[in-house]
Amino acid sequence: MKTVTVKELSQELTYRTPKELRDLCLRLSRFKKENKELLTYLLFESSDELSYVKSVKKEMDGEFEDINRSSYYFIRKSVRKILKNTRKYIRYSQKKQTEVELLLYFCTRLKRLSPPIERNTALMNLYNRQIDTIVKKVSLLHEDLRYDYGIELSELKK
């Protein structure tokens, strides 16, 4: 089966009734967990971005608490999983401020992790890549936000 372009999908959706659109969304939500999560964000959480960020941070806290700290191998696997989930939530929001906020929180939690990440090259490289990403994203924000996030970034770089 050949997949059509987004433009063709958009044109076809304009011809559908609201009931047909509702049925299509519900059917789409049955196939992948991510589709359901995105619909949940769009319908219930997109109107209150602050509570969305708080809930994602709370979930990140739980994931950081559950990390198996017996070896750096397990820590790396867990940290990559947390980052993957964080990026998924950032994709749902598509807001630069939310992205910076969540990545800053991720780096803050990663830096406080014990055993220290400074002893592991792979974790330090992951941390440094995220800091570089944050620097790029912060430069695209409003100057007041740049200043606020710049302070947090300077603390993380120490």
Side-chain angles (χ1 to χ4, degrees):
M1 179 169 107
K2 184 180 177 257
T3 312
V4 297
T5 65
V6 174
K7 183 179 179 190
E8 292 171 316
L9 286 172
S10 177
Q11 288 175 343
E12 184 61 31
L13 289 173
T14 58
Y15 302 122
R16 303 293 175 130
T17 66
K19 184 186 180 331
E20 288 175 322
L21 289 174
R22 186 179 136 270
D23 292 341
L24 286 171
C25 285
L26 290 174
R27 186 166 179 209
L28 184 65
S29 70
R30 286 189 213 135
F31 284 101
K32 275 204 164 199
K33 182 180 175 191
E34 285 187 6
N35 291 343
K36 195 181 301 184
E37 288 173 345
L38 177 59
L39 280 172
T40 301
Y41 169 77
L42 292 172
L43 294 173
F44 301 108
E45 297 172 343
S46 63
S47 60
D48 189 7
E49 198 70 21
L50 287 176
S51 66
Y52 175 68
V53 169
K54 282 182 184 178
S55 68
V56 172
K57 285 181 179 180
K58 189 175 179 182
E59 185 174 324
M60 287 170 64
D61 286 337
E63 290 174 335
F64 270 104
E65 296 301 318
D66 293 341
I67 289 178
N68 180 353
R69 291 175 165 82
S70 62
S71 75
Y72 277 108
Y73 171 77
F74 293 121
I75 293 172
R76 273 194 318 268
K77 278 186 74 148
S78 298
V79 166
R80 279 195 221 110
K81 180 182 175 190
I82 294 168
L83 182 60
K84 179 181 158 199
N85 287 338
T86 303
R87 290 200 175 283
K88 177 177 66 173
Y89 294 130
I90 289 168
R91 243 186 1 255
Y92 293 161
S93 174
Q94 292 183 338
K95 294 183 178 164
K96 298 293 181 209
Q97 185 176 351
T98 301
E99 181 175 8
V100 169
E101 186 94 19
L102 291 176
L103 288 177
L104 277 171
Y105 190 73
F106 172 80
C107 288
T108 303
R109 286 302 309 255
L110 186 59
K111 192 168 185 171
R112 289 189 313 200
L113 195 65
S114 71
I117 63 169
E118 288 85 9
R119 295 183 190 164
N120 188 276
T121 308
L123 285 173
M124 276 308 294
N125 289 340
L126 185 133
Y127 176 80
N128 290 329
R129 278 193 309 272
Q130 297 314 308
I131 293 293
D132 292 342
T133 302
I134 294 169
V135 168
K136 289 176 188 171
K137 299 298 179 179
V138 165
S139 67
L140 301 173
L141 295 174
H142 187 268
E143 62 186 55
D144 292 338
L145 293 172
R146 267 188 279 179
Y147 177 76
D148 294 339
Y149 290 133
I151 294 171
E152 286 184 54
L153 259 175
S154 62
E155 290 176 19
L156 286 175
K157 287 181 179 179
K158 290 180 186 175

